[in-house]
């Protein structure tokens, strides 16, 4: 039997099968059409929800537009956006901005709750490391040293490749100093000032390292300064090397 005859036979068989199963085919086609329509409606609603959430957040937070004399948006305004637009990108950012605003208002316990809410609800969000750092900073600001140590270490273990790691290490080193463990603090400062690990926080780490060694010169005997420290410190005025006791830094929020 030729190939053309075989193909013709198969076509006839398919037409016959389709005729017998016409109702089933129509039902399947209807289901597919409904699925496509539902997907289109969902995407349309999703896009509309995102647009509405972004517009609501923009009304509250207008970076670069607000006059310098105008007060910053308060936490409640951000929380209203987050509550009204859950599950949207803007709603997620609003929740983190609310936590940051509470922190800046010195409402550390409330800020910690909102940072924790963000991690619970949006743990896969790229801003989750910032929220985790926020939790640690809140414990730190509340003078809960042990809890803050655990929280900073949690940031380092869960978000090792994140941009907030250096800030978490600085907080960790300062707490080691507060617990009278200068050797551990120096170890962290050395990590932050390694030539192969530069960061925006290297300068501050270098200053704190020098302050620590001025208080504990015995540590300098076995801890030669990394090469990068000399170049960093050479560009700093001597006044910047005075010992300080800074409060916990506010976590860098979303922009």
């Amino acid at each position: 039997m030729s190939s053309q005859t075989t193909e013709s036979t198969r076509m006839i068989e398919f037409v016959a099968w389709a005729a017998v199963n016409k109702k089933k085919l129509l039902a399947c086609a209807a289901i597919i059409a409904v699925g496509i329509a539902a997907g289109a409606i969902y995407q349309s609603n999703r896009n509309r929800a995102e647009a509405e959430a972004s517009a609501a957040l923009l009304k509250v937070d207008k970076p670069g537009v607000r006059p310098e004399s105008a007060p910053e948006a308060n936490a409640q305004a951000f929380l209203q956006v987050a509550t009204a637009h859950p599950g949207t990108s803007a709603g997620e950012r609003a929740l983190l901005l609310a936590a940051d605003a509470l922190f800046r208002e010195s409402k550390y316990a409330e800020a910690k709750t909102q940072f924790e809410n963000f991690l619970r609800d949006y743990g896969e969000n790229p801003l989750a490391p910032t929220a985790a750092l926020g939790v640690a900073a809140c414990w730190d600001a509340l003078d809960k040293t042990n809890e803050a140590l655990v929280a900073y270490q949690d940031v380092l273990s869960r978000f090792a490749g994140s941009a907030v790691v250096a800030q978490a290490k600085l907080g960790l080193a300062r707490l080691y100093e507060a617990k009278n463990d200068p050797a551990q603090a120096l170890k962290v400062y050395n990590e932050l000032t390694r030539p192969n690990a530069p960061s925006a926080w290297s300068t501050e780490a270098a200053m704190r390292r020098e302050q620590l060694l001025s208080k504990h010169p015995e540590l300098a005997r076995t801890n030669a300064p990394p090469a990068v420290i000399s170049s960093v410190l050479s560009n700093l005025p001597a006044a910047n090397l005075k010992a300080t006791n800074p409060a916990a830094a506010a976590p860098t929020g979303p922009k």
Side-chain angles (χ1 to χ4, degrees), residues 121-217:
D121 296 338
Y122 309 116
E124 299 302 317
N125 189 293
L127 292 172
T130 299
L133 179 64
V135 172
C138 288
W139 280 124
D140 200 347
L142 289 167
D143 292 326
K144 299 291 186 179
T145 302
N146 292 333
E147 290 86 347
L149 279 170
V150 171
Y152 281 129
Q153 289 166 342
D154 181 60
V155 174
L156 300 183
S157 61
R158 290 176 60 190
F159 306 105
S162 169
V164 305
V165 164
Q167 198 171 351
K169 285 185 176 181
L170 274 176
L172 198 60
R174 184 172 47 75
L175 290 179
Y176 282 138
E177 288 193 65
K179 288 176 68 70
N180 197 28
D181 192 350
Q184 277 293 95
L186 182 60
K187 180 180 178 181
V188 177
Y189 290 142
N190 284 343
E191 291 177 3
L192 287 169
T193 51
R194 287 200 307 263
N196 62 341
S199 75
W201 301 94
S202 295
T203 299
E204 185 173 351
M207 289 192 298
R208 290 188 181 182
R209 183 182 187 281
E210 290 301 301
Q211 293 167 6
L212 179 65
L213 289 177
S214 69
K215 296 177 184 177
H216 300 277

